Amino acid sequence: MSLTDQLMTDMKVAMKSHDKTSLSVIRLLKSALMNKKIEVGHDLTTDEENQVVVSQMKQQKDSLADFEKGGRADLVAATKEQMTVLEQYMPQQLSESELQQIVQKIATDIGAESKTDFGKLMKAVMAEVHGQADGSLVSKVVKDSLQEG
């Protein structure tokens, strides 16, 4: 079942159960997917759909950080609820140990050994794990691997 089909099914369930949070998140995600489809000019691939979901989650995390800084407990709670709903549609995330293995393999393949190779290694790893790991976690693992070497 495609993500769009899953969203339609989940939207019907949310409507019937009067779950306003789920309904608003699903509508937001459907809208973002439709905008991306229009932008690229073709039906979205699974990778493209996952990129949209990851992007939406990143926006929610950024909003959460802003609301926490501003002391807006009401918006923090609402954003956390929305993130919980959005997590259902996120691609399977890699564990830190799985990510470390990928980083080590790519570092060996491209010959990244020092901190000056950070950008090159980071770019290669992000291309490999697109959507399966948070960028801040990837950055941390890449930095750690280059310090060890």
Side-chain angles (χ1 to χ4, degrees), residues 21 26 32 36 43 66 74 93-95 117-118 134 137 142 145:
T21 302
I26 292 168
K36 182 69 172 182
D43 287 340
D66 290 342
D74 56 331
Q93 299 293 294
L94 295 169
S95 69
D117 297 322
F118 177 81
D134 183 57
L137 178 62
V142 168
S145 73

Side-chain angles (χ1 to χ4, degrees), residues 93-105 129 132-133 137-138 140-141 144:
Q93 299 293 294
L94 295 169
S95 69
E96 190 168 344
S97 62
E98 291 170 322
L99 189 56
Q100 288 170 340
Q101 292 173 354
I102 292 170
V103 168
Q104 291 301 326
K105 179 186 179 309
V129 301
Q132 296 178 322
L137 178 62
V138 173
K140 176 188 172 298
V141 172
D144 291 348

Side-chain angles (χ1 to χ4, degrees), residues 6-77:
Q6 181 67 43
L7 288 171
M8 287 301 293
T9 302
D10 292 351
M11 187 184 323
K12 290 175 187 173
V13 171
M15 284 179 178
K16 288 179 182 176
S17 65
H18 302 286
D19 183 351
K20 291 180 182 181
T21 302
S22 293
L23 189 57
S24 69
V25 171
I26 292 168
R27 285 180 172 155
L28 181 73
L29 189 53
K30 279 187 57 162
S31 176
L33 288 166
M34 185 57 70
N35 289 341
K36 182 69 172 182
K37 180 179 177 180
I38 291 168
E39 178 186 320
V40 297
H42 59 79
D43 287 340
L44 299 178
T45 64
T46 303
D47 279 346
E48 289 169 332
E49 287 177 340
N50 287 340
Q51 287 173 354
V52 170
V53 176
V54 168
S55 173
Q56 291 296 311
M57 181 61 86
K58 182 174 180 348
Q59 286 178 4
Q60 293 290 335
K61 286 180 181 177
D62 292 346
S63 296
L64 182 63
D66 290 342
F67 296 148
E68 286 174 340
K69 283 181 194 170
R72 297 291 311 265
D74 56 331
L75 295 176
V76 168

